[in-house]
């Protein structure tokens, strides 16, 4: 299935693109007209904030997904289903984003919406971690240039989200806006601190017999 990696990544890219597009479609056009339009635009600030955070989260997930696949030479059946699980989880994010945006400034339901949003981030952190653990468990899907032991050593750092996101669930019980800020900071961390997949360092070899005489 060496030729299938491109097909799997292309399908995944399509899902990521659709999910990100749906995010902006959830921002409605204000009903106000005239000078009242400014007020209507301002009233939608929760949607803007939730959109930016979720866009960044999905974008970072796509970058990590792409980074993994460029180091794979083939896929197998379990990986296909794990990839589908990741995509299924990602496709729910626009809905949790919409729920949070609708209730972010509502004191009675803001916490419940934030709990839902944060709990789902735990789900996709675990889904991504499971995906990476399978890829690195044996390393049989990697290109020969990948340091399999080195890649396996990144598991704990890759799984930091499985620790950070449950903390946002706890924070959701106290403040929905602060929870959204926490998600933004976590996404920024992953965006600025990508986890490199280590490669095998080959010793330099002379290109010709003349190199031995130099």
């Amino acid at each position: 299935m060496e030729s299938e990696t491109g097909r799997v990544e292309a399908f995944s890219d399509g899902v990521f693109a659709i999910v990100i597009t749906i995010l902006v479609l959830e921002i409605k056009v204000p009903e106000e007209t005239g000078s009242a339009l400014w007020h209507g635009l301002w009233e939608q600030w929760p949607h803007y904030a939730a959109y930016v955070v979720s866009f960044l989260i999905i974008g970072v997930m796509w970058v990590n997904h792409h980074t993994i696949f460029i180091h794979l030479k083939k896929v197998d059946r379990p990986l296909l289903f794990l990839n589908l699980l990741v995509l299924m989880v990602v496709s729910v994010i626009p809905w949790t984003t919409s729920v949070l945006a609708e209730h972010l400034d509502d004191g009675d339901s803001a916490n419940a919406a934030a709990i839902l949003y944060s709990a789902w981030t735990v789900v996709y952190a675990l889904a991504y971690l499971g995906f990476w653990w399978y890829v690195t468990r044996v390393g049989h899907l990697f290109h020969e240039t990948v340091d399999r032991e080195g890649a396996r050593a990144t598991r704990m750092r890759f799984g930091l989200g499985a620790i950070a996101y449950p903390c946002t669930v706890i924070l959701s019980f106290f403040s929905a806006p602060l929870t959204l800020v926490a998600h933004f900071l976590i996404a920024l961390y992953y965006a600025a601190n990508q986890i490199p997949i280590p490669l095998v360092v080959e010793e330099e070899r002379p290109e010709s017999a003349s190199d031995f005489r130099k």
Side-chain angles (χ1 to χ4, degrees):
M1 300 183 72
E2 293 189 15
S3 63
E4 293 297 306
T5 57
R7 183 181 178 188
V8 174
E9 189 173 9
F11 174 76
S12 303
D13 287 348
V15 174
F16 276 107
I18 292 172
V19 170
I20 279 182
T21 302
I22 292 175
L23 279 177
V24 73
L25 295 179
E26 293 297 325
I27 302 178
K28 307 302 181 182
V29 176
E31 297 180 355
E32 291 84 354
T33 59
S35 60
L37 179 59
W38 290 109
H39 176 72
L41 290 171
W42 170 251
E43 286 295 312
Q44 295 201 72
W45 72 264
H47 291 270
Y48 309 145
Y51 167 77
V52 170
V53 173
S54 293
F55 187 98
L56 183 58
I57 289 174
I58 297 172
V60 171
M61 293 176 72
W62 174 78
V63 170
N64 287 334
H65 188 274
H66 174 69
T67 301
I68 291 173
F69 266 86
I70 63 177
H71 290 88
L72 299 183
K73 67 178 180 179
K74 60 182 179 180
V75 295
D76 59 9
R77 189 176 180 85
L79 185 68
L80 291 177
F81 281 106
L82 286 171
N83 188 64
L84 284 175
L85 176 62
V86 169
L87 297 179
M88 181 193 75
V89 173
V90 171
S91 65
V92 179
I93 295 178
W95 176 68
T96 59
T97 302
S98 180
V99 172
L100 179 61
E102 286 288 339
H103 300 277
L104 188 60
D105 56 350
D106 185 348
D108 295 330
S109 56
N111 289 17
I115 291 170
L116 171 66
Y117 187 88
S118 298
W120 196 250
T121 62
V122 175
V123 173
Y124 63 67
L126 292 175
Y128 235 105
L129 182 59
F131 181 89
W132 182 237
W133 272 69
Y134 177 77
V135 171
T136 58
R137 182 176 62 89
V138 177
H140 61 295
L141 305 178
F142 281 127
H143 285 292
E144 289 76 10
T145 56
V146 175
D147 180 356
R148 289 165 172 76
E149 289 298 325
R152 201 170 291 121
T154 66
R155 285 175 169 180
M156 293 305 296
R157 187 178 170 198
F158 197 91
L160 285 177
I163 300 174
Y165 288 127
C167 293
T168 65
V169 176
I170 298 174
L171 182 60
S172 300
F173 284 92
F174 302 97
S175 173
L178 284 181
T179 300
L180 192 60
V181 172
H183 282 290
F184 179 71
L185 294 177
I186 294 172
L188 278 183
Y189 167 79
Y190 277 112
N193 190 20
Q194 293 297 312
I195 302 174
I197 297 177
L199 303 178
V200 175
V201 179
E202 297 183 355
E203 296 182 358
E204 292 185 3
R205 297 179 179 178
E207 296 181 359
S208 64
S210 62
D211 291 328
F212 288 103
R213 298 191 293 270
K214 294 181 180 180

